[in-house]
Amino acid sequence: MARDHDVQALSDVDVHVYEAVAAQAQGGGRVDVDALCRTTGLEEESVRRSLAALVAQGYVVPRGDKVGLGPHTFGVDR
């Protein structure tokens, strides 16, 4: 069962890393940490910390030594 994502729980860095994953992993692709460091300009530790948060929230999913996009189930509170 898909769950709603809480975009308010993400930091600016998390959003930046997520956007980099989304840009590079379109169509079911995958991206590694080195590529995300180059794309975002962030240090590896920051990227890994952000990826951990994104994985925990379901935004990205680990795929071997890379990550891909998770299901898109953004919800809106009414």
mmCIF file with all atom_site columns, all heavy atoms in Angstrom, residues 40-54:
data_model
loop_
_atom_site.group_PDB
_atom_site.id
_atom_site.type_symbol
_atom_site.label_atom_id
_atom_site.label_alt_id
_atom_site.label_comp_id
_atom_site.label_asym_id
_atom_site.label_entity_id
_atom_site.label_seq_id
_atom_site.pdbx_PDB_ins_code
_atom_site.Cartn_x
_atom_site.Cartn_y
_atom_site.Cartn_z
_atom_site.occupancy
_atom_site.B_iso_or_equiv
_atom_site.pdbx_formal_charge
_atom_site.auth_seq_id
_atom_site.auth_comp_id
_atom_site.auth_asym_id
_atom_site.auth_atom_id
_atom_site.pdbx_PDB_model_num
ATOM 1   N N   . THR A 1 40 ? 24.839 17.987 -7.353 1.00 0.00 ? 40 THR A N   1
ATOM 2   C CA  . THR A 1 40 ? 24.354 18.902 -6.320 1.00 0.00 ? 40 THR A CA  1
ATOM 3   C C   . THR A 1 40 ? 25.434 19.829 -5.785 1.00 0.00 ? 40 THR A C   1
ATOM 4   O O   . THR A 1 40 ? 25.124 20.856 -5.187 1.00 0.00 ? 40 THR A O   1
ATOM 5   C CB  . THR A 1 40 ? 23.767 18.119 -5.127 1.00 0.00 ? 40 THR A CB  1
ATOM 6   O OG1 . THR A 1 40 ? 24.813 17.323 -4.543 1.00 0.00 ? 40 THR A OG1 1
ATOM 7   C CG2 . THR A 1 40 ? 22.591 17.249 -5.545 1.00 0.00 ? 40 THR A CG2 1
ATOM 8   N N   . GLY A 1 41 ? 26.696 19.435 -5.939 1.00 0.00 ? 41 GLY A N   1
ATOM 9   C CA  . GLY A 1 41 ? 27.786 20.207 -5.360 1.00 0.00 ? 41 GLY A CA  1
ATOM 10  C C   . GLY A 1 41 ? 27.948 19.974 -3.872 1.00 0.00 ? 41 GLY A C   1
ATOM 11  O O   . GLY A 1 41 ? 28.694 20.689 -3.202 1.00 0.00 ? 41 GLY A O   1
ATOM 12  N N   . LEU A 1 42 ? 27.267 18.961 -3.348 1.00 0.00 ? 42 LEU A N   1
ATOM 13  C CA  . LEU A 1 42 ? 27.325 18.651 -1.923 1.00 0.00 ? 42 LEU A CA  1
ATOM 14  C C   . LEU A 1 42 ? 28.403 17.612 -1.635 1.00 0.00 ? 42 LEU A C   1
ATOM 15  O O   . LEU A 1 42 ? 28.753 16.814 -2.501 1.00 0.00 ? 42 LEU A O   1
ATOM 16  C CB  . LEU A 1 42 ? 25.974 18.115 -1.439 1.00 0.00 ? 42 LEU A CB  1
ATOM 17  C CG  . LEU A 1 42 ? 24.785 19.067 -1.538 1.00 0.00 ? 42 LEU A CG  1
ATOM 18  C CD1 . LEU A 1 42 ? 23.490 18.314 -1.277 1.00 0.00 ? 42 LEU A CD1 1
ATOM 19  C CD2 . LEU A 1 42 ? 24.948 20.219 -0.560 1.00 0.00 ? 42 LEU A CD2 1
ATOM 20  N N   . GLU A 1 43 ? 28.870 17.603 -0.399 1.00 0.00 ? 43 GLU A N   1
ATOM 21  C CA  . GLU A 1 43 ? 29.820 16.588 0.055  1.00 0.00 ? 43 GLU A CA  1
ATOM 22  C C   . GLU A 1 43 ? 29.103 15.240 0.184  1.00 0.00 ? 43 GLU A C   1
ATOM 23  O O   . GLU A 1 43 ? 27.894 15.190 0.425  1.00 0.00 ? 43 GLU A O   1
ATOM 24  C CB  . GLU A 1 43 ? 30.404 16.982 1.415  1.00 0.00 ? 43 GLU A CB  1
ATOM 25  C CG  . GLU A 1 43 ? 31.206 18.262 1.385  1.00 0.00 ? 43 GLU A CG  1
ATOM 26  C CD  . GLU A 1 43 ? 32.508 18.120 0.597  1.00 0.00 ? 43 GLU A CD  1
ATOM 27  O OE1 . GLU A 1 43 ? 33.093 17.025 0.596  1.00 0.00 ? 43 GLU A OE1 1
ATOM 28  O OE2 . GLU A 1 43 ? 32.922 19.120 -0.018 1.00 0.00 ? 43 GLU A OE2 1
ATOM 29  N N   . GLU A 1 44 ? 29.870 14.161 0.063  1.00 0.00 ? 44 GLU A N   1
ATOM 30  C CA  . GLU A 1 44 ? 29.289 12.815 0.119  1.00 0.00 ? 44 GLU A CA  1
ATOM 31  C C   . GLU A 1 44 ? 28.493 12.573 1.395  1.00 0.00 ? 44 GLU A C   1
ATOM 32  O O   . GLU A 1 44 ? 27.405 11.991 1.351  1.00 0.00 ? 44 GLU A O   1
ATOM 33  C CB  . GLU A 1 44 ? 30.393 11.767 -0.017 1.00 0.00 ? 44 GLU A CB  1
ATOM 34  C CG  . GLU A 1 44 ? 29.856 10.358 -0.015 1.00 0.00 ? 44 GLU A CG  1
ATOM 35  C CD  . GLU A 1 44 ? 30.918 9.294  -0.214 1.00 0.00 ? 44 GLU A CD  1
ATOM 36  O OE1 . GLU A 1 44 ? 32.056 9.628  -0.631 1.00 0.00 ? 44 GLU A OE1 1
ATOM 37  O OE2 . GLU A 1 44 ? 30.618 8.129  0.052  1.00 0.00 ? 44 GLU A OE2 1
ATOM 38  N N   . GLU A 1 45 ? 29.004 13.022 2.532  1.00 0.00 ? 45 GLU A N   1
ATOM 39  C CA  . GLU A 1 45 ? 28.299 12.818 3.802  1.00 0.00 ? 45 GLU A CA  1
ATOM 40  C C   . GLU A 1 45 ? 26.912 13.463 3.778  1.00 0.00 ? 45 GLU A C   1
ATOM 41  O O   . GLU A 1 45 ? 25.931 12.877 4.249  1.00 0.00 ? 45 GLU A O   1
ATOM 42  C CB  . GLU A 1 45 ? 29.125 13.383 4.957  1.00 0.00 ? 45 GLU A CB  1
ATOM 43  C CG  . GLU A 1 45 ? 28.485 13.181 6.309  1.00 0.00 ? 45 GLU A CG  1
ATOM 44  C CD  . GLU A 1 45 ? 29.330 13.737 7.441  1.00 0.00 ? 45 GLU A CD  1
ATOM 45  O OE1 . GLU A 1 45 ? 30.564 13.775 7.321  1.00 0.00 ? 45 GLU A OE1 1
ATOM 46  O OE2 . GLU A 1 45 ? 28.727 14.145 8.449  1.00 0.00 ? 45 GLU A OE2 1
ATOM 47  N N   . SER A 1 46 ? 26.816 14.659 3.236  1.00 0.00 ? 46 SER A N   1
ATOM 48  C CA  . SER A 1 46 ? 25.530 15.355 3.148  1.00 0.00 ? 46 SER A CA  1
ATOM 49  C C   . SER A 1 46 ? 24.571 14.615 2.222  1.00 0.00 ? 46 SER A C   1
ATOM 50  O O   . SER A 1 46 ? 23.380 14.480 2.527  1.00 0.00 ? 46 SER A O   1
ATOM 51  C CB  . SER A 1 46 ? 25.719 16.783 2.652  1.00 0.00 ? 46 SER A CB  1
ATOM 52  O OG  . SER A 1 46 ? 26.448 17.535 3.590  1.00 0.00 ? 46 SER A OG  1
ATOM 53  N N   . VAL A 1 47 ? 25.082 14.142 1.099  1.00 0.00 ? 47 VAL A N   1
ATOM 54  C CA  . VAL A 1 47 ? 24.234 13.403 0.152  1.00 0.00 ? 47 VAL A CA  1
ATOM 55  C C   . VAL A 1 47 ? 23.746 12.109 0.794  1.00 0.00 ? 47 VAL A C   1
ATOM 56  O O   . VAL A 1 47 ? 22.554 11.786 0.722  1.00 0.00 ? 47 VAL A O   1
ATOM 57  C CB  . VAL A 1 47 ? 24.989 13.120 -1.175 1.00 0.00 ? 47 VAL A CB  1
ATOM 58  C CG1 . VAL A 1 47 ? 24.209 12.149 -2.051 1.00 0.00 ? 47 VAL A CG1 1
ATOM 59  C CG2 . VAL A 1 47 ? 25.255 14.423 -1.917 1.00 0.00 ? 47 VAL A CG2 1
ATOM 60  N N   . ARG A 1 48 ? 24.632 11.384 1.436  1.00 0.00 ? 48 ARG A N   1
ATOM 61  C CA  . ARG A 1 48 ? 24.228 10.115 2.079  1.00 0.00 ? 48 ARG A CA  1
ATOM 62  C C   . ARG A 1 48 ? 23.208 10.350 3.198  1.00 0.00 ? 48 ARG A C   1
ATOM 63  O O   . ARG A 1 48 ? 22.255 9.592  3.345  1.00 0.00 ? 48 ARG A O   1
ATOM 64  C CB  . ARG A 1 48 ? 25.440 9.366  2.608  1.00 0.00 ? 48 ARG A CB  1
ATOM 65  C CG  . ARG A 1 48 ? 26.285 8.777  1.494  1.00 0.00 ? 48 ARG A CG  1
ATOM 66  C CD  . ARG A 1 48 ? 27.343 7.822  2.027  1.00 0.00 ? 48 ARG A CD  1
ATOM 67  N NE  . ARG A 1 48 ? 28.173 7.335  0.953  1.00 0.00 ? 48 ARG A NE  1
ATOM 68  C CZ  . ARG A 1 48 ? 27.856 6.326  0.140  1.00 0.00 ? 48 ARG A CZ  1
ATOM 69  N NH1 . ARG A 1 48 ? 26.689 5.726  0.273  1.00 0.00 ? 48 ARG A NH1 1
ATOM 70  N NH2 . ARG A 1 48 ? 28.685 5.935  -0.814 1.00 0.00 ? 48 ARG A NH2 1
ATOM 71  N N   . ARG A 1 49 ? 23.405 11.385 3.992  1.00 0.00 ? 49 ARG A N   1
ATOM 72  C CA  . ARG A 1 49 ? 22.460 11.711 5.065  1.00 0.00 ? 49 ARG A CA  1
ATOM 73  C C   . ARG A 1 49 ? 21.087 12.054 4.474  1.00 0.00 ? 49 ARG A C   1
ATOM 74  O O   . ARG A 1 49 ? 20.048 11.596 4.950  1.00 0.00 ? 49 ARG A O   1
ATOM 75  C CB  . ARG A 1 49 ? 23.006 12.856 5.911  1.00 0.00 ? 49 ARG A CB  1
ATOM 76  C CG  . ARG A 1 49 ? 22.219 13.151 7.152  1.00 0.00 ? 49 ARG A CG  1
ATOM 77  C CD  . ARG A 1 49 ? 22.871 14.170 8.090  1.00 0.00 ? 49 ARG A CD  1
ATOM 78  N NE  . ARG A 1 49 ? 23.522 15.289 7.428  1.00 0.00 ? 49 ARG A NE  1
ATOM 79  C CZ  . ARG A 1 49 ? 24.854 15.468 7.389  1.00 0.00 ? 49 ARG A CZ  1
ATOM 80  N NH1 . ARG A 1 49 ? 25.666 14.603 7.957  1.00 0.00 ? 49 ARG A NH1 1
ATOM 81  N NH2 . ARG A 1 49 ? 25.357 16.517 6.792  1.00 0.00 ? 49 ARG A NH2 1
ATOM 82  N N   . SER A 1 50 ? 21.097 12.830 3.406  1.00 0.00 ? 50 SER A N   1
ATOM 83  C CA  . SER A 1 50 ? 19.853 13.202 2.753  1.00 0.00 ? 50 SER A CA  1
ATOM 84  C C   . SER A 1 50 ? 19.173 11.984 2.132  1.00 0.00 ? 50 SER A C   1
ATOM 85  O O   . SER A 1 50 ? 17.957 11.812 2.243  1.00 0.00 ? 50 SER A O   1
ATOM 86  C CB  . SER A 1 50 ? 20.120 14.260 1.681  1.00 0.00 ? 50 SER A CB  1
ATOM 87  O OG  . SER A 1 50 ? 18.924 14.624 1.056  1.00 0.00 ? 50 SER A OG  1
ATOM 88  N N   . LEU A 1 51 ? 19.956 11.125 1.483  1.00 0.00 ? 51 LEU A N   1
ATOM 89  C CA  . LEU A 1 51 ? 19.382 9.911  0.888  1.00 0.00 ? 51 LEU A CA  1
ATOM 90  C C   . LEU A 1 51 ? 18.743 9.024  1.958  1.00 0.00 ? 51 LEU A C   1
ATOM 91  O O   . LEU A 1 51 ? 17.679 8.433  1.720  1.00 0.00 ? 51 LEU A O   1
ATOM 92  C CB  . LEU A 1 51 ? 20.440 9.131  0.123  1.00 0.00 ? 51 LEU A CB  1
ATOM 93  C CG  . LEU A 1 51 ? 20.855 9.717  -1.214 1.00 0.00 ? 51 LEU A CG  1
ATOM 94  C CD1 . LEU A 1 51 ? 22.012 8.923  -1.802 1.00 0.00 ? 51 LEU A CD1 1
ATOM 95  C CD2 . LEU A 1 51 ? 19.690 9.772  -2.199 1.00 0.00 ? 51 LEU A CD2 1
ATOM 96  N N   . ALA A 1 52 ? 19.366 8.945  3.129  1.00 0.00 ? 52 ALA A N   1
ATOM 97  C CA  . ALA A 1 52 ? 18.780 8.149  4.215  1.00 0.00 ? 52 ALA A CA  1
ATOM 98  C C   . ALA A 1 52 ? 17.402 8.685  4.591  1.00 0.00 ? 52 ALA A C   1
ATOM 99  O O   . ALA A 1 52 ? 16.457 7.916  4.794  1.00 0.00 ? 52 ALA A O   1
ATOM 100 C CB  . ALA A 1 52 ? 19.712 8.136  5.422  1.00 0.00 ? 52 ALA A CB  1
ATOM 101 N N   . ALA A 1 53 ? 17.287 10.014 4.671  1.00 0.00 ? 53 ALA A N   1
ATOM 102 C CA  . ALA A 1 53 ? 15.991 10.628 4.978  1.00 0.00 ? 53 ALA A CA  1
ATOM 103 C C   . ALA A 1 53 ? 14.989 10.371 3.856  1.00 0.00 ? 53 ALA A C   1
ATOM 104 O O   . ALA A 1 53 ? 13.820 10.056 4.108  1.00 0.00 ? 53 ALA A O   1
ATOM 105 C CB  . ALA A 1 53 ? 16.153 12.129 5.209  1.00 0.00 ? 53 ALA A CB  1
ATOM 106 N N   . LEU A 1 54 ? 15.444 10.478 2.615  1.00 0.00 ? 54 LEU A N   1
ATOM 107 C CA  . LEU A 1 54 ? 14.559 10.269 1.466  1.00 0.00 ? 54 LEU A CA  1
ATOM 108 C C   . LEU A 1 54 ? 14.108 8.814  1.359  1.00 0.00 ? 54 LEU A C   1
ATOM 109 O O   . LEU A 1 54 ? 12.953 8.542  1.020  1.00 0.00 ? 54 LEU A O   1
ATOM 110 C CB  . LEU A 1 54 ? 15.250 10.721 0.179  1.00 0.00 ? 54 LEU A CB  1
ATOM 111 C CG  . LEU A 1 54 ? 15.494 12.222 0.066  1.00 0.00 ? 54 LEU A CG  1
ATOM 112 C CD1 . LEU A 1 54 ? 16.442 12.524 -1.091 1.00 0.00 ? 54 LEU A CD1 1
ATOM 113 C CD2 . LEU A 1 54 ? 14.182 12.977 -0.104 1.00 0.00 ? 54 LEU A CD2 1
#
